[in-house]
Amino acid sequence: STSSMLSKQKDKSAASKDGSPEGAAKKQEDGAGTPKQQLLDIIGDMKVEVSYRKKLQQLKASESKKQAMAKLEGPDSEGSVPQGVTEDTQRGKPLNPELVKAASAVASSLPRNKKQTESELLAQLRRHEETTDQQKKGGIINIRNVISEMTIKRQSPAQRGTRTSRRISLQLDEDDKRLRRERSSALSMDSRSLKVGKRLNIFTKASTEPEHALETVSSPTIWDLEFAKEVAAVTAQPPRNGFEEMIQWTKEGIMWEFPIDNEVGMEDDAEFHEHIFLEKHLEGFPKEGPIRHFMELVICGLSKNPYLSVKQKVEHIEWFQKYFEEKKELLQEI
Amino acid sequence: MAARRVGAGCWQRALWLGRRCRLPGGRESYRSSSSSTALGKTVDNSQVTQEEIVLPRRKTWDKLAVLQTLASTVNRDPTAAHYMFQDDPFLMPRNAVNSRLYSLSKESGRNAAKYIIKNFPQYFDKTFAEPNIPCLMPEALTPQTEGLSEEALRERIHLRMVKESVDMFDQLLQAGTPVSLETTNSLLDLLCFYGGGEPRPEKEQEEKEGLEEPEVNASEQKAPKKRFQRSSQSSGPKWRENNHAERIFKIMPERNAHSYCTMIRGMVKHEAYSKAYDTYIDLLNERHKADVHTFNALIRAVPYLKDRFTERWELAKDFLTQMAQQKVQPTLLTFNSVLKSLRRCGGVGRTMSLLVLKEMEALDIEPSLASYDHLLSVYYKGVDAPSSDIISEVLNEVEKRSFTAQDPDDASFFTTAMQVCCDLKDINLAYQVNKALEKGDNWKFLDVDRLNIYWSKFFSLLCMMEQIEVVLKWYKEMSSSLFYPTPKNILDLLQALDAANQLEVIPSVWEDVKQLGFGRRQDLLEEFLSLMSRDQHPSEIQLAFAKCAEEIKAVHEPAGQVQVPLEWTGSALGNVVVLFARAGRTQDAWKMMECFQKTNRIPTDKVMDEFLNCAKQTNCPDEAIKMVKLAASLGLLSSQRLKSRTEEEFELSETQKKALESIKWDGDSSDSDSDSDSSDSDRE
């Protein structure tokens, strides 16, 4: 139904285009109508913007004409004006000749003092370009200019009718009333896109990284910790099958990690052979005799002992060595 | 322990073999090469020293890689309930209510166990597991440092003991020891996060709040508890006038930016918006610089600070420009807060939200699901004739990648998207949303409750837009393994069946309805009966319908249980009669007819005609006569017609004919027999 309504709008504008055989039918780009169409639009614009901010009232009439100018330029006349107005990068230079021609066309179509209108229009246009530049360079952000900028710089591929209605809806919402809600809401959905469009132009990209890295040294506060928990809880769903459950357990530390290493959690500096093959520590003992026999049994027992470290075992053997050394004299005597 | 050593021995031997085969060294490497050891060895032996074996570089896998691969091979079983339930037909939840109940009970069991471990740690001090599992052991929650010192205060703050920290702080101040700015700030953090703390007089409430809040917030992680947690946060502790945080803030000898910031954040969190704004003005007056989180909080507070839409947008824009001026870099959360505030700005929101998105793009900030969720709400909530441009573009973006959670509001994206698809009545968009859901980890954004809402909406859309075969296919696959149909879903399904002229499926739907626990819902029962009784069907179907009708009848009768029987409506009663009649169950039909009188309802003509047809077919003229009597007693206009019909179509015996004749049909009095003679004589 939305599309049908949009197409009706198209038909209406097309019909009015055909129906007005007035001269100076400037067909700039698509979307631009005859001067009569522009006149109707301008009147529509003026009706809406009258109730807009009081500060802008002086600019109202001229701004609406400015609007027509902007549209006549075609889809390129977005906020990035340099693209549409090809060579004009600096203001103060002459305006786009097309703009001038269009201004004169409108002036001629209006039932007023033509010359005065034309000069007014052009002056206003120049003023408008200046403010644009100022804004671009990040000058003092004047709310009024910002809003005026907002009205002018719109996406032009939209249909005329929808653009009017968009302003109407802005008016409604500003005053929080529901005057002509059906019409506005029905037509307020024009072909907007996420791709094409303007940005707020408030921020600039962060240029240097090291500065920011230095700033965030402080330890996380309770806010940060709780926020991290909250964010983690968004995607913390119960496991959908046994494997996911095992994944969760592994993360929590409840389950062994695959592939299983059965020496996890055990710090042992020595290899297994150092625990088991302890004969090399028996070099200080006699090669035969009861002492040797005894020590070999000691070594056998130690090699089966999982609870002592290598160092402790070596200490054991050394103690025996010392002991037997001391007792050597006694034994010799015997 | 000895076994472990031997196990290590095997690896060691493999290492030696590996070394011989010129495999890369290192303790871990032999694990992967143990299978290829033999191969390498034989190759090495066959080609003596001719070629160098080029071995591929070893990949390192993390500890979860194997499990994740295995998990990715498992698909959903359409016949089973969710994994978290016991896989037993008796213990499976059959409807949404039970599903929630069971999952919550499982969670509460876990919490009960944790509670016991926390409160009786002396019984859990033996560590049996090697290596020790710290998460199952009791936590050391009692503060170690005793006495009155800043160290002790810091520890209590760390352990999140709100009341004790405040008490200790006050004691320290009374004793004259100065508390450092940092510690005071961390105390403020704690207080502002938990709502400022109650002022002194209401001690008990303060205790409860102090104890309960850390638990409530700690349990935020558990998905099934989400519903409770959401409601408790929305009605969470409000920021009270002159609570502990404010008091301490006032008596601080010096404050830095952090103090102001944390106060602002706490006030916004606990809904003291104008106070937060005032505090922000104070911060500016003191020439401090607010951090990005404070700005985010302030932007979130904007809809509560101003009423008109343009004013709201202006205020938000002010905050943003101040951020830019103070060189505070905005983050994703900043823009998400802006979009969230724009949700309450009507048409202004619609215009501005696109600008915000472009700004994010210009700053190389990827929008998260929350950004798209706010965007969809701005464009589609409360709009009469929406277009599908925005959502198509959003879905094109979303289905490209797998998202990670960055904002707590990410979770509502998919339900919002599906709602928009339903409003737009576009099934292809819905399929696209499903596809986006399947990508990567996106499924994790739907918790158990939202899952049901999402699929329920999808199913309604399906019933509206798709062919019946597709609908039934989805129904069989999804029902009770993925979602539990709501009553609305059942009604939609019935309508779809009706539209596709497949009413014979109705008895099986009725079985499901009974299982789902909707067998006592008046609207569903009415719908079932009216659909079943509308047309004549082949006899098997008719019999099945009659069985359903009988079960529905049982619901309306007192069954000696606790449940109150439902009230009969006229149409329901009539439909049951029709269904019994068409199945040839005359006696049952007659019993229902008697119910009409009992419940003071009037049968329609169609009902009575059907009954007569049934009586004729089953050759029960008595019932026919009884029915005519009933009709006459109820004073129905059609009773004359019925009487004549009975006379014509039935073969009546003499007594029956007489009985028929004696029926009065002008319906003056309720008891027909007493006045019958006089009226008959009048007529004749």
Side-chain angles (χ1 to χ4, degrees), chain A residues 231-238 248, chain B residues 221-224 226 444-445 447:
Chain A
V231 166
V234 167
T235 44
Q237 305 306 334
Q248 214 172 31
Chain B
Q221 298 196 37
K222 301 300 173 184
K226 262 213 149 125
K444 291 188 188 169
F445 285 96
D447 66 2

Side-chain angles (χ1 to χ4, degrees), chain B residues 270-537:
Chain B
H270 297 278
E271 301 174 21
Y273 301 111
S274 35
K275 271 216 184 134
Y277 190 68
D278 295 336
T279 316
Y280 176 66
I281 301 294
D282 291 340
L283 175 143
L284 288 180
N285 289 342
E286 300 281 326
R287 305 207 187 293
H288 289 302
K289 201 169 123 165
D291 65 358
V292 64
H293 305 292
T294 319
F295 275 116
N296 294 353
L298 285 168
I299 293 175
R300 267 200 303 279
V302 159
Y304 303 97
L305 290 173
K306 299 276 184 203
D307 284 329
R308 290 156 69 95
F309 294 159
T310 37
E311 284 176 15
R312 286 176 182 171
W313 168 243
E314 286 311 311
L315 187 56
K317 215 158 186 260
D318 275 343
F319 285 132
L320 288 174
T321 41
Q322 281 171 35
M323 274 178 89
Q325 278 165 0
Q326 295 182 17
K327 304 238 182 316
V328 178
Q329 274 301 110
T331 63
L332 168 71
L333 296 168
T334 318
F335 291 113
N336 281 357
S337 312
V338 176
L339 286 169
K340 194 168 180 178
S341 298
L342 281 178
R343 276 168 89 143
R344 303 178 58 159
C345 289
V348 176
R350 282 191 269 282
T351 332
M352 294 306 143
S353 46
L354 290 177
L355 299 180
V356 172
L357 277 182
K358 294 301 288 180
E359 188 79 7
M360 287 167 81
E361 194 181 308
L363 294 176
D364 279 340
I365 298 180
E366 282 270 6
S368 76
L369 285 181
S371 334
Y372 291 126
D373 177 44
H374 297 316
L375 188 68
L376 287 181
S377 301
V378 163
Y379 271 96
Y380 289 103
K381 287 257 162 82
V383 178
D384 286 338
S387 85
S388 58
D389 297 335
I390 296 288
I391 184 164
S392 326
E393 284 202 43
V394 167
L395 287 177
N396 289 342
E397 287 295 315
V398 168
E399 69 180 356
K400 281 187 211 158
R401 59 188 182 110
S402 166
F403 286 83
T404 48
Q406 289 163 288
D407 185 325
D409 291 326
D410 283 344
S412 23
F413 170 74
F414 283 105
T415 39
T416 313
M418 187 50 78
Q419 179 63 49
V420 170
C421 294
C422 289
D423 292 338
L424 293 174
K425 298 202 183 6
D426 190 333
I427 189 73
N428 292 322
L429 281 179
Y431 285 140
Q432 205 177 3
V433 180
N434 280 352
K435 209 159 71 92
L437 197 56
E438 283 165 27
K439 185 148 179 93
D441 282 341
N442 288 347
W443 64 272
K444 291 188 188 169
F445 285 96
L446 282 178
D447 66 2
V448 182
D449 291 332
R450 287 204 175 91
L451 203 61
N452 222 46
I453 297 173
Y454 176 87
W455 287 111
S456 172
K457 289 203 182 107
F458 176 73
F459 187 71
S460 292
L461 187 62
L462 261 185
C463 291
M464 241 193 293
M465 307 292 295
E466 277 280 11
Q467 302 289 331
I468 191 67
E469 298 89 21
V470 179
V471 173
L472 287 176
K473 188 167 84 76
W474 277 97
Y475 181 67
K476 280 195 187 46
E477 267 183 39
M478 291 201 308
S479 191
S480 107
S481 69
L482 193 56
F483 87 115
Y484 297 98
T486 60
K488 181 173 178 304
N489 286 139
I490 299 291
L491 284 173
D492 292 334
L493 178 63
L494 287 177
Q495 272 179 19
L497 287 172
D498 190 18
N501 215 11
Q502 288 205 359
L503 294 175
E504 61 267 16
V505 185
I506 287 188
S508 70
V509 180
W510 171 244
E511 293 294 316
D512 290 337
V513 163
K514 273 194 298 183
Q515 227 178 42
L516 288 168
F518 300 147
R520 294 181 61 85
R521 291 182 69 104
Q522 195 83 341
D523 49 353
L524 272 184
L525 296 179
E526 293 280 330
E527 186 69 19
F528 267 106
L529 288 174
S530 65
L531 277 181
M532 284 195 284
S533 58
R534 205 178 51 196
D535 305 312
Q536 187 82 18
H537 288 277

